Amino acid sequence: MLRLRCIHGNLRVESRYLLNMETGRRKGLSGVLSSLSLLCVVLDLQLDGVFGATPVEIEQHLEMGRKLLAAGQLAEALSHYHSAVEGDSKNYLTYYKRAAVFLAMGRSKSALPDLTRAIQLKPDFLPARLQRGNILLKQGNTQEAREDFQAVLSGDPGHEEAASQLLKTEELEKLQGEAHSAHRKGDYMATITVLDRVIELSPWDPASRELRAECFIRLGDSRKAIQDLLPTTRLRNDNRAAFLQLSTLYYGLGEHQEALSQVRECLKLDQDDKECFSHYKQVKKISKQLDSAEQLISDHRYQQAIEKYESVMKTEPSVPYYTNRAKERICHCLVKNQRAREALDVCSEAHQRDPRNINILRDRAEAYILNQDYEKAVGDYQEAREFDGENQEIREGLERAQKLLKQSRKRDYYKILGVHRSANKQEIIKAYRKLAQQWHPDNFQSESDKKEAEKKFIDIASAKEVLTDPEMRQKFDAGEDPLDPESQQGGGEGGHGWPFDFNPFGSGGNFHFRFHHN
């Protein structure tokens, strides 16, 4: 099958011929081609416009476009207006109506060429002039906007909207000058104040938003700078600079995932962009380290998490957020590993770096509890509560620290045995045996010494009883003394009691302890 195409303007004529490619008929091919070439010339001369859309078809497309536009089916309406424009490229109304659909879709940049084409076809078509002037004003293009509004007023001196928009154009031009003047003087707050009105008048002007973003960065307000830069990625084509700056700002705030997302948008536009690729590698590395460290914490692998956060500080020593974050999480891991003294040092440094961070205050409070310094633990929890009074974990932690403080003023089983709160069962039994031997009443002669030894011996035995029983120890760690008569149902009077009212040195008690040593 051979396909030949004759083109004249927008006219395409296709003729298809089936040619028998048998060896005996090849000689006739050149003659057929010559005939077809002649046919193309004849068609070009005689059939111009025959295959174009008819006025009726164009009108049908316009009518369908109007109905779909009224129904809010913008994409479908746009398709019909495309067909109308292709059918009659010299009808200014079809361009104008298609521009209206683009505007309804929020695609002002696409509408602008259609409005310009409509004006070229009919220079005195005032609605297109007005619409183009409005777009140019919102884009911050005061010179061309003024020309359009003046053209409308020349054709219709009483046109109120054109007159109002011309005044806004003159106001915008004046404000733009004031903003740049204040910026040159380094008065960033004044620049921002003026640009607020500038952007209100020209919300589609990327230059004004970029200038205000720069002022926010100078004043240390990265969040507001981000809010201004985000729209500029759509207002400018191939705005790699904005994507890179956004990524850098998010990175400085510690939002590494968002930083990664923005720098990837830059690389989508140009994968060979050196600045974006260099920044991408740094963000990718720190992001991987942070995610890995948090996963280790979730898996209760605290020592490995500490090492990973130490790597984070080496990877990014120049951005304060990452050092602060690493110190905070290392503090947390040390507490979880019950390394109280090390935790207090790191947590205190982290607190100095970020005094309002309730997580650091919580973890340092827990380190104080491990160190049996309950007053300081209460102090840290109270400070954290001032920053976030609704936090349930902080409220519960404060209540527990207050119970432990109250409890420590009565009887502290850890202090009685001389062990840390993190001591394991073997350490507790070892401490108990040593003290029980030391304070056994049989070691004392006088009645008063025996009485004192008996009291201490009972406390030592009580401490061992509570701290070697997981359930009782858990209660004690939560601030409740399981042997306190006040906490027992129907608890009677008396001071330190033996569990279940059993006293090995009471009346009739002829109780002897024997200690075995390996």
Side-chain angles (χ1 to χ4, degrees):
M1 182 179 290
L2 176 68
R3 175 181 294 178
L4 295 179
R5 181 174 294 173
C6 306
I7 301 177
H8 177 73
N10 290 330
L11 173 65
R12 293 182 179 180
V13 181
E14 293 187 359
S15 302
R16 297 186 181 184
Y17 291 88
L18 289 172
L19 300 178
N20 192 327
M21 301 304 292
E22 297 174 6
T23 305
R25 301 180 62 183
R26 289 181 181 175
K27 291 183 180 180
L29 180 59
S30 60
V32 171
L33 291 174
S34 298
S35 299
L36 289 173
S37 299
L38 179 62
L39 175 61
C40 285
V41 173
V42 173
L43 286 170
D44 274 345
L45 292 174
Q46 298 182 4
L47 300 180
D48 185 25
V50 168
F51 293 93
T54 66
V56 173
E57 290 173 332
I58 293 170
E59 189 58 38
Q60 286 175 343
H61 282 304
L62 291 172
E63 180 61 20
M64 281 300 298
R66 185 190 66 78
K67 289 181 178 178
L68 290 166
L69 179 60
Q73 296 175 263
L74 303 181
E76 293 82 353
L78 186 61
S79 177
H80 282 282
Y81 283 120
H82 284 325
S83 299
V85 169
E86 290 171 3
D88 185 0
S89 62
K90 295 183 179 179
N91 186 336
Y92 69 95
L93 277 175
T94 57
Y95 286 102
Y96 179 72
K97 290 177 179 178
R98 187 169 69 175
V101 180
F102 279 131
L103 288 173
M105 297 175 76
R107 296 168 58 183
S108 59
K109 286 193 289 187
S110 299
L112 204 54
D114 274 357
L115 292 171
T116 298
R117 182 59 180 154
I119 293 167
Q120 289 171 346
L121 292 170
K122 188 173 176 57
D124 62 346
F125 186 45
L126 301 186
R129 286 274 188 185
L130 182 64
Q131 288 295 344
R132 188 174 72 172
N134 287 336
I135 292 174
L136 292 168
L137 175 61
K138 289 183 178 181
Q139 289 180 341
N141 192 336
T142 55
Q143 183 177 346
E144 292 184 26
R146 182 190 296 104
E147 292 172 3
D148 275 340
F149 295 136
Q150 287 174 341
V152 174
L153 291 170
S154 295
D156 183 1
H159 199 293
E160 292 183 3
E161 184 179 351
S164 173
Q165 294 296 85
L166 182 59
L167 288 175
K168 288 182 180 179
T169 303
E170 292 169 352
E171 180 190 359
L172 176 59
E173 195 167 47
K174 180 183 177 184
L175 290 170
Q176 286 173 335
E178 291 178 5
H180 285 284
S181 176
H183 182 261
R184 283 193 296 270
K185 294 175 184 177
D187 192 345
Y188 302 118
M189 282 303 301
T191 307
I192 290 169
T193 301
V194 177
L195 286 173
D196 288 344
R197 176 59 178 163
V198 168
I199 293 169
E200 186 180 335
L201 292 170
S202 54
W204 301 339
D205 176 19
S208 296
R209 291 184 179 275
E210 288 162 354
L211 184 60
R212 191 168 68 173
E214 183 196 331
C215 292
F216 282 130
I217 291 170
R218 297 268 189 176
L219 295 171
D221 195 337
S222 297
R223 291 285 177 197
K224 288 185 179 177
I226 288 170
Q227 289 174 7
D228 267 338
L229 286 172
L230 282 170
T232 69
T233 61
R234 300 186 298 272
L235 294 171
R236 287 194 192 279
N237 294 324
D238 190 13
N239 200 348
R240 282 174 284 159
F243 283 120
L244 178 58
Q245 193 169 19
L246 281 166
S247 180
T248 303
L249 289 170
Y250 278 121
Y251 182 72
L253 292 170
E255 298 178 21
H256 55 96
Q257 292 295 349
E258 191 59 42
L260 203 56
S261 174
Q262 294 297 330
V263 75
R264 279 173 174 158
E265 291 299 320
C266 176
L267 291 173
K268 284 180 185 177
L269 295 170
D270 183 1
Q271 62 182 1
D272 296 322
D273 189 296
K274 291 182 179 179
E275 284 187 276
C276 286
F277 186 68
S278 175
H279 183 63
Y280 168 77
K281 289 193 296 182
Q282 176 69 6
V283 179
K284 182 72 174 175
K285 184 176 181 180
I286 203 84
S287 180
K288 185 177 180 180
Q289 287 178 332
L290 289 168
D291 291 344
S292 175
E294 286 304 307
Q295 185 59 52
L296 289 168
I297 291 175
S298 296
D299 295 339
H300 308 295
R301 296 159 67 185
Y302 299 114
Q303 181 55 41
Q304 289 171 281
I306 289 170
E307 293 167 4
K308 187 64 69 174
Y309 269 114
E310 287 171 347
S311 298
V312 167
M313 290 189 285
K314 291 177 182 177
T315 299
E316 185 49 271
S318 58
V319 178
Y321 171 84
Y322 296 101
T323 300
N324 295 351
R325 177 64 175 171
K327 294 289 184 182
E328 174 193 338
R329 300 305 278 161
I330 291 172
C331 155
H332 177 74
C333 292
L334 288 169
V335 171
K336 289 295 184 181
N337 269 351
Q338 298 189 331
R339 291 154 65 181
R341 292 180 182 177
E342 293 173 78
L344 286 172
D345 290 339
V346 176
C347 293
S348 294
E349 182 185 350
H351 178 57
Q352 287 179 344
R353 289 174 169 273
D354 191 359
R356 299 179 65 87
N357 189 320
I358 64 170
N359 294 325
I360 296 171
L361 287 166
R362 175 206 63 203
D363 287 331
R364 191 171 71 170
E366 291 301 313
Y368 279 131
I369 288 173
L370 287 172
N371 211 40
Q372 301 179 33
D373 195 341
Y374 306 117
E375 286 189 20
K376 289 183 178 178
V378 169
D380 272 355
Y381 269 123
Q382 286 176 332
E383 188 177 347
R385 188 180 61 175
E386 290 175 9
F387 297 135
D388 187 357
E390 301 301 317
N391 189 296
Q392 184 67 23
E393 185 180 12
I394 297 300
R395 288 209 305 267
E396 291 175 356
L398 176 59
E399 289 174 6
R400 183 166 55 86
Q402 288 171 332
K403 283 183 180 179
L404 289 169
L405 177 59
K406 182 179 178 181
Q407 180 189 84
S408 69
R409 290 168 178 167
K410 293 182 177 180
R411 181 165 53 172
D412 187 333
Y413 296 125
Y414 291 103
K415 285 186 177 180
I416 290 170
L417 293 182
V419 297
H420 289 289
R421 296 187 78 87
S422 58
N424 59 37
K425 187 173 182 178
Q426 288 180 331
E427 291 170 332
I428 290 166
I429 292 173
K430 183 179 178 181
Y432 160 74
R433 286 175 174 170
K434 181 179 178 181
L435 291 170
Q437 280 185 319
Q438 178 183 345
W439 290 100
H440 194 284
D442 290 348
N443 295 334
F444 300 89
Q445 301 300 321
S446 70
E447 194 64 28
S448 61
D449 287 344
K450 280 184 178 290
K451 289 279 186 185
E452 180 65 23
E454 180 181 323
K455 179 176 176 296
K456 284 186 177 292
F457 194 91
I458 290 174
D459 283 345
I460 292 164
S462 297
K464 181 254 186 185
E465 181 75 12
V466 170
L467 298 183
T468 56
D469 183 292
E471 185 177 346
M472 294 175 75
R473 183 175 181 178
Q474 185 178 7
K475 287 182 179 181
F476 184 75
D477 287 345
E480 176 187 345
D481 186 348
L483 302 184
D484 188 345
E486 294 179 3
S487 67
Q488 305 298 316
Q489 287 187 353
E493 299 177 357
H496 302 318
W498 188 269
F500 314 114
D501 296 325
F502 173 69
N503 185 341
F505 304 107
S507 59
N510 186 18
F511 196 85
H512 299 280
F513 288 89
R514 179 173 295 176
F515 299 99
H516 301 278
H517 301 279
N518 293 327

